[in-house]
């Protein structure tokens, strides 16, 4: 048999429509240290949301630097110790975010073709060829 | 084989988009889906291509067996930690789905057989273009396609013969990819846990390719889910890959190359749990998608009409050699003067050096380095200053379709276009 009788691909058509109408995937929310290296979420969860300050003993205050903060979007993965970049310290209210959900690590595949990866490149940034 | 100039449908962008091809135009504004021309074949030429695909598949499987028997992994730069999983997969035959041979050919009248350029056995794309979009194109315009009686009129062949209106022979297309995919999913269904996950990077081409594959699996009755590669989770306590809902993932189609997976954080987990996870494509496909398969095929099948002389690059060898071997010759290795130098793992025409008569005539940049191979230049296949590459689709062992990528130069890269075909 050399030819098809019919070619129906409803999921494909629906996905194409979703792409052209701007549906977007959730971005990563990661806890990072002052060097923008990923650390466990518990470090951010145990910190206050705003920078803290304490009296300096001379009538003023000293800001206590936040060692850890959430990082929204950008490249890199969820791997502990891995670098992140291209994102923001504040969430974009128009986007949704996913975290590494406790003991399950995510982002351990896909980095080679991301902005921070350097080993591979594909058609239009893809991994197919 | 002829290249037939055509007038694109007025609303072609909307038509291909509604069928699923959103990436129809390149960033430079040129069409990626290019229906301003089509390639016309004879039925005999299609038979030749189908037979070539089947033969090459058998040769490649024999070559994979040879690599495993002779432990030639190091020549392919395969990491040692992957070898047990490769050998387990080869011996236990977990499900494999598809691949695409890329061939160079100028048709029967060229006097040459089609020549294998490479085998995209792990992560081939341009699938939905070949299976769906060009099929819809033929359904709409097929009855209006002209019939050329001369061969290669644009290449200066028997010029002066003008196209005539469609003859009584209805144009057909070498394309049963869709049915064969559905049939293959049904075939491998008993060996897969459900749902089957489809994972790819976040870009339209890869996402729509896996969506189309997912479509065919659903039509075969298999439940599916789709996600991004980055969303695949690893849980150390459970020693398992988990989806975003924390459910175990046992059957995963990944549009992502094994050589990249093995370099990444979860690579060791994929190896450690390989026997309990059904990855499609299976890891032994690394042997075939590697450019090192080309010199091994040439060693096993010297002077085979479907092959080009290919050799592993000799350490320290200059890119410009000094003798006279071209395709079809049988002089010893390392004497190529007209050849393409390709890194073992290069993709999309990156890091390619093209040498003709000892002179470098084209190079491309890219991120790939490491061991390379030299492959003799194929006999010229140029139509109206366009260079077509014929992609033969293999669904398992079945050669069942053709998709053509076309470039303005001799190196097919990510700026090449997809051009439909038909035969009479």
């Amino acid at each position: 048999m050399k030819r098809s009788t019919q070619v129906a691909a409803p999921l494909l058509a629906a996905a194409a429509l979703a792409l052209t109408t701007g549906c977007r995937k959730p971005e990563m929310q990661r806890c990072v240290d002052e060097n923008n290296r990923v650390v466990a979420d518990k470090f951010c969860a145990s910190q206050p949301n705003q920078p803290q300050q304490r009296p300096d003993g001379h009538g003023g205050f000293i800001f206590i630097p936040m060692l850890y903060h959430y990082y929204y979007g950008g490249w890199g993965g969820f791997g502990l110790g891995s670098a992140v970049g291209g994102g923001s310290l504040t969430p974009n209210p128009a986007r949704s975010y996913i975290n590494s959900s406790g003991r399950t690590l995510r982002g351990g595949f896909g980095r080679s073709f991301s902005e921070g990866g350097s080993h591979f490149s594909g058609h239009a940034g893809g991994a197919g060829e | 084989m002829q290249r037939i100039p055509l007038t694109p449908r007025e609303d072609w962008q909307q038509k291909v988009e509604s069928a699923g091809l959103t990436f129809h135009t390149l960033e430079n504004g040129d069409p990626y889906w290019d229906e301003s021309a089509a390639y016309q074949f004879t039925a005999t030429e299609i038979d030749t291509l189908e037979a070539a695909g089947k033969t090459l598949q058998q040769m490649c499987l024999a070559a994979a067996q040879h690599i495993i028997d002779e432990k030639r992994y190091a020549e392919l730069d395969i990491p040692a930690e992957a070898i047990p999983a490769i050998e387990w997969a080869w011996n236990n035959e977990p499900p494999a789905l598809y691949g695409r041979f890329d061939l160079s050919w100028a048709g029967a009248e060229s006097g040459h057989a089609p020549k294998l350029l490479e085998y995209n056995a792990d992560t081939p794309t341009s699938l939905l273009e070949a299976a769906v979009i060009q099929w819809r194109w033929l359904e709409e315009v097929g009855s209006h396609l002209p019939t050329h009686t001369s061969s290669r009129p644009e290449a200066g062949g028997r010029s002066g013969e003008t196209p005539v209106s469609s003859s009584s022979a209805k144009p057909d297309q070498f394309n049963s990819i869709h049915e064969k995919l559905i049939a293959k999913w049904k075939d491998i269904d008993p060996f897969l846990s459900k749902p089957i996950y489809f994972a790819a990077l976040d870009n339209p081409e890869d996402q729509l390719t896996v969506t189309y594959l997912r479509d065919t699996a659903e039509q075969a009755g298999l439940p599916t889910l789709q996600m991004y590669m980055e969303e695949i989770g690893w849980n150390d306590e459970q020693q398992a890959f988990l989806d975003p809902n924390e459910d175990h993932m046992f059957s995963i189609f990944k549009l992502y190359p094994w050589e990249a997976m093995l370099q990444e954080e979860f690579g060791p987990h994929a190896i450690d749990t390989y026997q309990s996870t059904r990855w499609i494509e299976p890891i032994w496909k690394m042997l075939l998608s590697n450019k090192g398969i080309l010199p091994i095929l040439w060693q096993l099948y010297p002077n085979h009409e479907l092959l080009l002389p290919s050799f592993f690059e000799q350490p320290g060898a200059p890119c410009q050699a000094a003798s006279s071997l071209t395709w079809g010759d049988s002089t010893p290795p390392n004497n190529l003067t007209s050849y393409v130098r390709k890194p073992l793992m290069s993709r999309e025409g990156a890091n390619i050096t093209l040498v003709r008569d000892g002179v470098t005539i084209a190079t491309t940049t890219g991120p790939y380095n490491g061991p390379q191979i030299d492959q003799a230049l194929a006999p010229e296949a140029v139509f109206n200053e366009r260079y077509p590459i014929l992609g033969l689709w293999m669904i398992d062992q079945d050669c069942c379709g053709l998709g053509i990528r076309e470039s303005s130069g001799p190196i097919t890269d990510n700026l090449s276009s997809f051009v439909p075909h038909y035969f009479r």
Side-chain angles (χ1 to χ4, degrees):
Chain A
M1 180 180 68
K2 284 197 175 57
R3 67 175 296 166
S4 300
T5 51
Q6 62 168 3
V7 176
L11 277 179
L12 174 63
L17 181 63
L19 278 172
T20 54
T21 52
C23 283
R24 306 195 65 172
K25 70 165 183 171
E27 294 190 337
M28 290 178 284
Q29 172 189 314
R30 293 154 293 187
C31 183
V32 300
D33 63 17
E34 68 273 25
N35 298 314
N36 280 351
R37 297 270 172 188
V38 177
V39 298
D41 275 356
K42 65 183 180 185
F43 292 106
C44 287
S46 63
Q47 282 204 152
N49 290 331
Q50 299 296 324
Q52 300 297 293
Q53 54 187 13
R54 63 175 172 79
D56 63 2
H58 304 285
F61 292 91
I62 296 174
F63 281 95
I64 304 171
M66 292 179 69
L67 291 177
Y68 306 104
H69 53 262
Y70 283 117
Y71 195 85
Y72 299 91
W75 50 259
F78 287 108
L80 296 181
S82 63
V84 302
S88 165
L89 298 181
T90 54
N92 180 337
R95 307 297 302 268
S96 60
Y97 297 94
I98 53 172
N99 60 27
S100 62
S101 67
R103 294 183 178 178
T104 300
L105 297 174
R106 299 190 188 277
F109 284 135
R111 183 143 190 234
S112 297
F113 292 83
S114 70
E115 196 176 336
S118 59
H119 299 297
F120 301 91
S121 70
H123 181 207
E129 60 181 333
Chain B
M1 179 181 175
Q2 302 168 66
R3 188 180 191 274
I4 312 293
L6 298 169
T7 302
R9 293 168 291 177
E10 207 164 89
D11 51 351
W12 67 268
Q13 292 97 334
Q14 189 272 328
K15 286 183 171 172
V16 301
E17 237 173 58
S18 65
L21 187 72
T22 63
F23 48 98
H24 50 65
T25 302
L26 298 167
E27 284 182 5
N28 64 9
D30 290 341
Y32 166 65
W33 166 262
D34 186 0
E35 57 179 65
S36 68
Y39 283 88
Q40 176 182 289
F41 295 84
T42 65
T44 304
E45 287 174 323
I46 293 298
D47 288 342
T48 298
L49 289 169
E50 183 180 19
K54 289 180 176 175
T55 301
L56 287 168
Q57 179 73 5
Q58 293 307 311
M59 293 162 64
C60 284
L61 293 178
Q65 183 69 63
H66 166 81
I67 294 166
I68 290 169
D69 290 344
E70 302 300 322
K71 307 282 185 196
R72 297 185 68 175
Y73 303 107
E75 291 170 85
L76 304 187
D77 211 18
I78 303 277
E81 58 271 22
I83 294 171
I86 289 172
E87 295 186 347
W88 183 90
W90 179 255
N91 291 325
N92 289 275
E93 300 185 35
L97 187 67
Y98 76 151
R100 193 193 72 230
F101 286 113
D102 283 348
L103 281 73
S104 178
W105 198 36
E109 293 194 9
S110 69
H112 300 294
K115 304 293 183 187
L116 175 65
L117 299 178
E118 62 184 49
Y119 191 9
N120 296 300
D122 187 17
T123 58
T125 48
S126 77
L127 176 68
L128 66 104
E129 298 92 304
V132 180
I133 308 301
Q134 70 168 346
W135 177 259
R136 297 267 172 90
W137 167 85
L138 183 69
E139 282 192 317
E140 182 171 342
V141 309
S143 58
H144 308 298
L145 289 170
T147 301
H148 277 275
T149 54
S150 65
S151 69
R152 304 184 61 185
E154 297 177 350
R158 285 155 44 197
S159 59
E161 296 184 28
T162 54
V164 297
S165 298
S166 173
S167 69
S168 57
K170 190 180 174 188
D172 207 335
Q173 193 170 84
F174 182 25
N175 188 0
S176 61
I177 301 169
H178 189 74
E179 273 94 339
K180 292 286 166 50
L181 280 169
I182 294 172
K184 188 60 192 170
W185 284 118
K186 290 178 178 172
D187 183 34
I188 62 180
D189 181 354
F191 307 99
L192 297 170
S193 297
K194 316 300 183 310
I196 301 167
Y197 291 91
F198 288 77
L201 294 178
D202 179 19
N203 74 80
E205 181 178 22
D206 289 11
Q207 283 296 315
L208 290 170
T209 299
V210 296
T211 302
Y212 172 61
L213 282 165
R214 190 182 161 205
D215 228 329
T216 59
E218 292 270 350
Q219 289 177 51
L222 284 69
T224 65
L225 288 171
Q226 189 167 336
M227 58 197 292
Y228 298 100
M229 281 304 291
E230 299 93 329
E231 291 181 308
I232 294 177
W234 171 257
N235 189 298
D236 247 343
E237 284 183 0
Q238 300 179 50
Q239 287 290 295
F241 289 106
L242 304 183
D243 72 8
N245 291 325
E246 302 283 306
D247 292 325
H248 281 220
M249 302 170 69
F250 291 111
S251 301
I252 309 169
F253 176 93
K254 48 83 196 165
L255 188 59
Y256 201 76
W258 272 107
E259 62 266 24
M261 288 172 64
L262 294 180
Q263 289 185 16
E264 295 181 351
E265 185 183 350
F266 289 174
H269 304 317
I271 295 296
D272 292 343
T273 59
Y274 190 84
Q275 295 186 28
S276 60
T277 309
R278 295 290 166 266
W279 291 97
I280 302 173
E281 297 298 314
I283 193 171
W284 65 261
K285 285 289 193 87
M286 286 184 79
L287 306 178
L288 304 187
S289 61
N290 188 300
K291 304 294 186 295
I293 196 69
L294 299 167
I296 288 176
L297 281 168
W298 186 249
Q299 289 169 6
L300 296 178
Y301 303 96
N303 301 310
H304 193 286
E305 65 171 3
L306 297 176
L307 301 178
L308 294 162
S310 300
F311 308 98
F312 288 104
E313 180 198 11
Q314 298 302 303
C319 204
Q320 298 176 1
S323 186
S324 59
L325 180 62
T326 56
W327 66 272
D329 202 331
S330 59
T331 47
N334 310 323
N335 291 335
L336 294 172
T337 57
S338 296
Y339 60 92
V340 181
R341 178 162 289 181
K342 314 175 183 182
L344 292 179
M345 311 288 185
S346 68
R347 309 169 70 82
E348 294 282 355
N351 297 97
I352 301 294
T353 300
L354 201 153
V355 176
R356 189 185 293 282
D357 299 326
V359 178
T360 298
I361 59 172
T363 59
T364 59
T365 59
Y368 305 100
N369 46 35
Q372 306 181 92
I373 65 125
D374 294 339
Q375 182 183 46
L377 289 187
E380 189 170 78
V382 188
F383 296 77
N384 196 26
E385 301 180 347
R386 301 290 285 175
Y387 294 74
I389 296 293
L390 310 185
L392 286 180
W393 283 97
M394 302 298 301
I395 308 300
D396 196 10
Q397 310 302 307
D398 229 340
C399 183
C400 60
L402 170 65
I404 302 176
R405 296 276 298 273
E406 203 187 55
S407 306
S408 57
I411 298 174
T412 302
D413 58 18
N414 59 10
L415 293 178
S416 61
S417 53
F418 189 100
V419 180
H421 83 276
Y422 60 95
F423 72 91
R424 293 183 188 274

